[in-house]
Amino acid sequence: MALKGEPKSTLYVGIDGGGSKCRAIVYSTTHGVLGDGLSGPANPFQDFELAIKSITEASMQAAIKVGFNYSDLGDMTAGIALAGVNIPSVFNAMQHWKSPFKQHLVLTDLHAACLGAHSGGDGAVIIAGTGSCGYASVNGQSLTIGAHGFPHGDKGSGAWIGLQAVEHCLLAMDQLGQDSILRQKIAADNPLDLVSKVSGQPPRFYARLAPLVFEAAEEGDVIAQNILQEAGDYLSQVGEKLLSLNPPKLTLIGGITARILPYLTSKVRNKITDAEHPPEIGAILYAQNKINADTQNRKTNDHSASG
Amino acid sequence: MALKGEPKSTLYVGIDGGGSKCRAIVYSTTHGVLGDGLSGPANPFQDFELAIKSITEASMQAAIKVGFNYSDLGDMTAGIALAGVNIPSVFNAMQHWKSPFKQHLVLTDLHAACLGAHSGGDGAVIIAGTGSCGYASVNGQSLTIGAHGFPHGDKGSGAWIGLQAVEHCLLAMDQLGQDSILRQKIAADNPLDLVSKVSGQPPRFYARLAPLVFEAAEEGDVIAQNILQEAGDYLSQVGEKLLSLNPPKLTLIGGITARILPYLTSKVRNKITDAEHPPEIGAILYAQNKINADTQNRKTNDHSASG
């Protein structure tokens, strides 16, 4: 296979992992993306062992797709973007992981999303997927809003929308709230069945209910429309706060992007541009910059030492 | 010890278990409550093994306090009231548990609370503790409202109040909501610290924050007052629904009873009377009635057979 002749120094692995899934790409600075992989949850704050398993699995898939094997990962540098590494102890544990890569650099999923969306330049992102948050990086300053997790945070996210819907259904089934198209889509008549189904479920379970809320809203259900409007209002608030830093670009990314867009205020909606690259590329841009900066520092230090 | 001479047939164990704790009493039909015990969580839907451990531990404590030992439980009949046994499969598993008792009869914590509160007679209860719900038993008919669990249900409960407070704090710390006395009581300035503290916590953790919400409300915090008013409005809705069955009595029980009472509508508040007995006694009344009814049935059947 021709690609096996690729100089090893030009190969990178880009990882984007969160509470639902982990994506990996193998990337060559001369040929671009060579292969990709997809595995399970990779939020090391929620489950460290599962996160490293998912990262390894997705990376292996991507490597195998282009004819590499496990030991070839040892020649590649990885940029690993993850939810949960905003907690300093989790970041340190992940940075000190004995990974299968030549070296790896860890950053938050938000930072990688922002770098990817704006090709490494300044900008801001609103993330609306299983979870929700905002992130901006402008003139060397960064701002994070939200990213607090479920059920206490992540307002406006797919999981939050799903939880609101379930709460509504249970009230309706107890005849303490209005019945609705939404209730018919989410649950049969017996609250016990719904309770058995939802109890103890993770955010990604609730996020999978969000499409039913969008459907109900499109069919005219006022309760579903209100839930989505509250989500849109919150995400707009996040957007306005990010715009106050004057980022050159604002991008909305995540699983509910297309369907939640109409619920944002026009002020925020009109500023939104498409992401240029996915977070996996953002993670690689970060790793490249970090290594270049370190090399530059070493050269400067060597120069100073010899000067 | 005199009590050891008690005829074994007159001894009962009454259990009341839920997501936070498990209470047990040893009760004699001639001398009343002899001893009590308290252990950890006993919701067999959440954790079956932990529930039977807690039930056994609390019963042992109660037995030992009056000079009995483990094997003496084998002479006693137990009424076991538990959260979670409204799910039929959980009820069956608990009913078939090889318990240390001579025999045991399982009922929901709500049913036992209602029987205890009204000395075995008809009535209704609103429960506002770690969780929330309503239950009525009138003329052989019963009605359950809520009891759906956390975070999707249990509106108006201690856990729900705590969760609302945390959600508010995170919005305030992101400067997307008003700062407040409540925020100062719940969290320091760093949202990451609060997120680390609350992530993945069970309902009882959130319920332990509820007293801070009551404190903040008493100090004039409008956000805390609004949270509590929404809780009170929901519990009042539950109360009105129960009153529509014309129960002879309505009782409010659970950990936040005294402090939430002022937030109920006067219509519901004015109907509320004190509980006559705790749920453990309700569980024993249930066991006694069930055994008497079975004995009666057997006699009738024997009579029919010989007639």
Side-chain angles (χ1 to χ4, degrees), chain A:
Chain A
M1 175 142 196
L3 290 169
K4 289 216 76 169
E6 183 94 17
K8 307 268 177 158
S9 63
T10 65
L11 291 174
Y12 289 85
V13 179
I15 306 280
D16 178 41
S20 300
K21 55 186 181 291
C22 181
R23 288 180 193 283
I25 55 169
V26 171
Y27 178 93
S28 132
T29 48
T30 48
H31 294 94
V33 178
L34 304 180
D36 58 5
L38 179 66
S39 62
N43 178 325
F45 175 64
Q46 286 168 4
D47 189 334
F48 189 86
E49 292 306 317
L50 180 58
I52 62 177
K53 182 173 168 285
S54 297
I55 294 166
T56 308
E57 193 182 317
S59 306
M60 271 299 292
Q61 279 182 23
I64 285 168
K65 271 196 190 166
V66 276
F68 293 115
N69 58 39
Y70 185 77
S71 65
D72 290 318
L73 294 178
D75 295 320
M76 305 180 198
T77 292
I80 304 184
L82 297 171
V85 298
N86 52 332
I87 311 278
S89 60
V90 179
F91 177 88
N92 287 333
M94 191 48 67
Q95 190 62 70
H96 289 99
W97 170 41
K98 292 199 189 317
S99 76
F101 310 109
K102 183 170 87 186
Q103 61 181 325
H104 68 271
L105 295 112
V106 179
L107 71 165
T108 66
D109 52 344
L110 311 185
H111 191 178
C114 195
L115 287 171
H118 312 114
S119 302
D122 277 1
V125 287
I126 305 171
I127 299 187
T130 302
S132 74
C133 57
Y135 182 87
S137 177
V138 183
N139 298 329
Q141 279 204 306
S142 74
L143 171 68
T144 303
I145 306 168
H148 299 316
F150 182 84
H152 46 279
D154 283 356
K155 191 166 180 179
S157 68
W160 181 89
I161 289 169
L163 178 60
Q164 306 311 303
V166 170
E167 287 180 10
H168 155 72
C169 290
L170 291 171
L171 289 175
M173 290 156 105
D174 277 340
Q175 302 181 318
L176 293 175
Q178 209 183 318
D179 202 12
S180 62
I181 298 172
L182 179 59
R183 200 277 305 154
Q184 291 161 27
K185 285 185 186 286
I186 298 256
D189 285 321
N190 185 353
L192 275 187
D193 292 345
L194 179 59
V195 167
S196 304
K197 215 166 67 177
V198 305
S199 288
Q201 291 285 5
R204 62 183 178 277
F205 169 88
Y206 282 97
R208 283 198 293 264
L209 300 176
L212 299 174
V213 186
F214 284 105
E215 268 179 32
E218 281 155 21
E219 292 171 28
D221 188 291
V222 176
I223 287 161
Q225 288 168 351
N226 288 345
I227 291 172
L228 296 176
Q229 194 52 63
E230 193 178 342
D233 288 346
Y234 172 76
L235 296 172
S236 297
Q237 270 191 295
V238 171
E240 291 193 20
K241 202 144 195 78
L242 296 173
L243 288 173
S244 71
L245 296 184
N246 292 316
K249 287 182 174 179
L250 173 65
T251 303
L252 176 64
I253 52 186
I256 64 168
T257 296
R259 296 183 97 172
I260 201 68
L261 200 58
Y263 294 91
L264 301 190
T265 59
S266 57
K267 181 175 168 187
V268 171
R269 199 171 60 233
N270 295 338
K271 291 277 186 182
I272 287 172
T273 57
D274 287 341
E276 291 163 16
H277 298 289
E280 305 89 88
I281 295 284
I284 290 172
L285 290 170
Y286 177 80
Q288 289 176 327
N289 285 344
K290 194 88 175 167
I291 289 164
N292 289 343
D294 288 353
T295 311
Q296 201 57 46
N297 279 343
R298 262 200 303 280
K299 281 186 188 154
T300 312
N301 288 342
D302 291 352
H303 186 75
S304 307
S306 65

Side-chain angles (χ1 to χ4, degrees), chain B residues 122-143:
Chain B
D122 278 1
V125 286
I126 305 170
I127 299 187
T130 301
S132 74
C133 57
Y135 182 88
S137 178
V138 182
N139 297 330
Q141 280 204 304
S142 74
L143 171 68

Side-chain angles (χ1 to χ4, degrees), chain B residues 106-286:
Chain B
V106 178
L107 70 165
T108 66
D109 52 344
L110 311 185
H111 190 177
C114 195
L115 287 171
H118 313 112
S119 302
D122 278 1
V125 286
I126 305 170
I127 299 187
T130 301
S132 74
C133 57
Y135 182 88
S137 178
V138 182
N139 297 330
Q141 280 204 304
S142 74
L143 171 68
T144 303
I145 306 167
H148 299 316
F150 182 84
H152 46 280
D154 282 357
K155 192 166 180 181
S157 68
W160 181 89
I161 290 170
L163 178 61
Q164 306 311 304
V166 170
E167 287 180 11
H168 155 71
C169 290
L170 290 171
L171 290 175
M173 290 155 103
D174 276 341
Q175 301 180 320
L176 294 175
Q178 207 184 318
D179 201 12
S180 63
I181 298 172
L182 179 59
R183 201 278 304 154
Q184 291 161 28
K185 285 185 186 287
I186 299 256
D189 287 320
N190 185 353
L192 275 188
D193 291 345
L194 180 58
V195 168
S196 306
K197 216 165 67 176
V198 307
S199 288
Q201 291 284 4
R204 61 182 178 278
F205 169 89
Y206 283 96
R208 283 199 293 265
L209 300 176
L212 299 174
V213 185
F214 284 105
E215 269 180 33
E218 282 156 20
E219 292 171 28
D221 187 291
V222 176
I223 287 160
Q225 287 168 351
N226 289 344
I227 291 172
L228 296 175
Q229 195 52 62
E230 193 178 343
D233 287 347
Y234 172 77
L235 297 172
S236 297
Q237 270 191 295
V238 172
E240 291 193 21
K241 203 145 194 74
L242 297 173
L243 288 173
S244 71
L245 297 183
N246 293 316
K249 285 181 175 181
L250 174 65
T251 302
L252 175 65
I253 53 186
I256 63 168
T257 297
R259 296 183 98 172
I260 202 68
L261 201 56
Y263 294 91
L264 300 191
T265 59
S266 57
K267 181 175 168 185
V268 171
R269 199 170 59 233
N270 294 339
K271 291 276 188 184
I272 287 172
T273 57
D274 287 341
E276 289 163 17
H277 299 290
E280 305 90 88
I281 295 283
I284 291 172
L285 289 169
Y286 176 80

